[in-house]
Amino acid sequence: MANISFGYPNRSDEATLSGGSWQATLPRSNLQDRIIAHVARTADATLTSTKFDIQLAQSRSIGALALIGHNFGVLAKVRFRGADSQANLSTAPLYDSGWVDVWPAGAIPAALLEWEDDNFWLGTITAEARASYNTPFIHAFAASNQQWWRVEIDDTLNADGYVQVGRLFLSGLWSPTYNMSLGMTFAVEDRTVTEEAQGGTEFFDASGKHRVMNLALNWLDESEAYSSLLEIQRMLGVSGELLVVPDSGDSTNGFRRNMVGRLVKISPIEAYLYQKYRSTLEIKELV
C-alpha cells in the first residue's frame, strides 16, 4: 500500500493549449474551465484529434495529471509526455508514461463477473458502469520539471464517436512520510431531496452525488506540517482544487477512490509531541 498523495496547485489555468481537433461550440479551452459540465469535445475519435499540447508559463515540477469528467470507453488509453521544448515532445521526451489503461484490468473482481459478460476476460469495468462514474483519470508519477507536456488519448472505438473532458488538472505531488492514520472515512453523499406525502408515498427530486473523505495526518514532521500541509491550506483555502490519491498502488479501486476535491474547512495544525504535528482534512469532491 502506497501512502496517500495530494496534488496541488492546479497549473492548467496558466497554460497555453494547442493541438488536436475540437468542436467549435465545445472548444479545447473548456479544459481550463472549473465548471466540469462545460466539457471540451473532440471533432471525432481519431488519434490525430484526441490529443493536445500544454505549454506552462515556465518549467514546473509536475507529478500528477488528471482528466476529470471524461467519457473514455472501457478500452481507452492515455499517454503523457513532458519535454523542454514542443519539438522534443515527439523526438526526445524527458518523461514518457507510455500508454496507460484508463480502466485497468482487475477493476472488477472475478467473482462478480459472469461468463456472458462482455468484459469477462479483461476484468475491466463495463460500459454501463463506466457511464455512472465521474471519476477522473489520474496518472501520478515521479516529478519531472518541464514546461511542455502532451496528452494523447487512444479511444478510437468510443461509442460516442468523440472524446470529451470536463477539466484538466496538472500539478506537483506531495506524499507524507507516514501514511494517514487508521480511521479514514469515505462516503458518497446524495443531494437528492426527499418528500413524503401524507399517505406515506415518497417523492424524490433527484440530484447529483459526490464523494467525501475525512482523514487524519498524525505523524508529520516540522517540514511536512509547515512546508506542505500549511501551504496547501494557505494556497487553496476552501475553494482551491486538491487532487487526492489515497493509494497510488491500488489498481482495483483507485478509480473509485481517487478524486479532485476541495477542503471543506481549514483545520489547525497541532504540535502535540516533540517535533511531531497532526491535523485533519475533510475533502469534498468537485463535480
Side-chain angles (χ1 to χ4, degrees):
M1 178 178 180
N3 288 1
I4 192 169
S5 299
F6 302 95
Y8 74 99
N10 187 359
R11 299 293 187 184
S12 70
D13 293 347
E14 74 177 45
T16 300
L17 306 182
S18 61
S21 180
W22 305 81
Q23 297 183 20
T25 56
L26 297 171
R28 180 180 52 230
S29 59
N30 282 1
L31 295 169
Q32 297 169 298
D33 188 330
R34 276 194 58 167
I35 301 176
I36 297 173
H38 293 172
V39 300
R41 180 178 294 172
T42 61
D44 52 54
T46 61
L47 292 175
T48 56
S49 296
T50 58
K51 64 180 182 180
F52 58 93
D53 288 352
I54 306 163
Q55 182 186 13
L56 298 177
Q58 63 185 66
S59 293
R60 300 285 194 187
S61 179
I62 299 298
L65 162 75
L67 301 173
I68 310 165
H70 60 73
N71 73 327
F72 300 162
V74 296
L75 299 178
K77 299 177 184 292
V78 172
R79 186 181 184 184
F80 187 51
R81 286 183 274 182
D84 53 5
S85 70
Q86 188 173 26
N88 283 342
L89 288 169
S90 300
T91 60
L94 296 171
Y95 176 78
D96 189 344
S97 67
W99 287 105
V100 179
D101 291 328
V102 173
W103 306 102
I108 305 298
L112 299 181
L113 293 170
E114 300 293 340
W115 177 262
E116 297 83 2
D117 291 339
D118 55 8
N119 62 328
F120 179 83
W121 294 108
L122 297 175
T124 57
I125 192 169
T126 64
E128 180 182 16
R130 181 211 59 77
S132 67
Y133 278 96
N134 189 45
T135 302
F137 166 78
I138 294 176
H139 176 61
F141 54 98
S144 183
N145 195 63
Q146 311 301 332
Q147 184 176 10
W148 284 90
W149 297 89
R150 174 172 293 165
V151 177
E152 298 171 274
I153 302 162
D154 182 355
D155 196 14
T156 57
L157 299 179
N158 192 296
D160 295 328
Y162 54 79
V163 300
Q164 67 182 32
V165 179
R167 179 68 164 148
L168 168 66
F169 192 102
L170 199 64
S171 75
L173 198 67
W174 169 61
S175 184
T177 302
Y178 295 99
N179 204 4
M180 57 184 171
S181 299
L182 293 175
M184 181 272 286
T185 63
F186 190 94
V188 174
E189 291 190 353
D190 190 343
R191 292 172 292 170
T192 294
V193 177
T194 303
E195 294 185 7
E196 184 174 332
Q198 188 172 4
T201 301
E202 292 184 315
F203 297 90
F204 305 95
D205 184 7
S207 186
K209 304 178 183 69
H210 58 260
R211 295 169 293 171
V212 176
M213 289 183 63
N214 285 272
L215 61 101
L217 299 175
N218 287 336
W219 301 102
L220 302 173
D221 62 28
E222 185 175 55
S223 176
E224 292 174 319
Y226 294 120
S227 297
S228 298
L229 182 56
L230 184 64
E231 281 301 288
I232 289 175
Q233 296 176 341
R234 184 188 66 82
M235 295 175 69
L236 304 185
V238 297
S239 62
E241 299 163 292
L242 179 66
L243 182 148
V244 186
V245 181
D247 179 3
S248 60
D250 181 6
S251 60
T252 300
N253 290 305
F255 73 93
R256 297 181 174 97
R257 300 199 293 168
N258 301 340
M259 66 180 182
V260 174
R262 68 172 184 87
L263 297 175
V264 175
K265 61 181 180 181
I266 305 296
S267 298
I269 298 172
E270 178 187 0
Y272 72 106
L273 291 174
Y274 176 67
Q275 295 185 341
K276 289 298 177 185
Y277 302 80
R278 65 186 177 190
S279 188
T280 58
L281 290 85
E282 181 179 355
I283 303 161
K284 176 181 178 181
E285 181 182 19
L286 293 172
V287 296

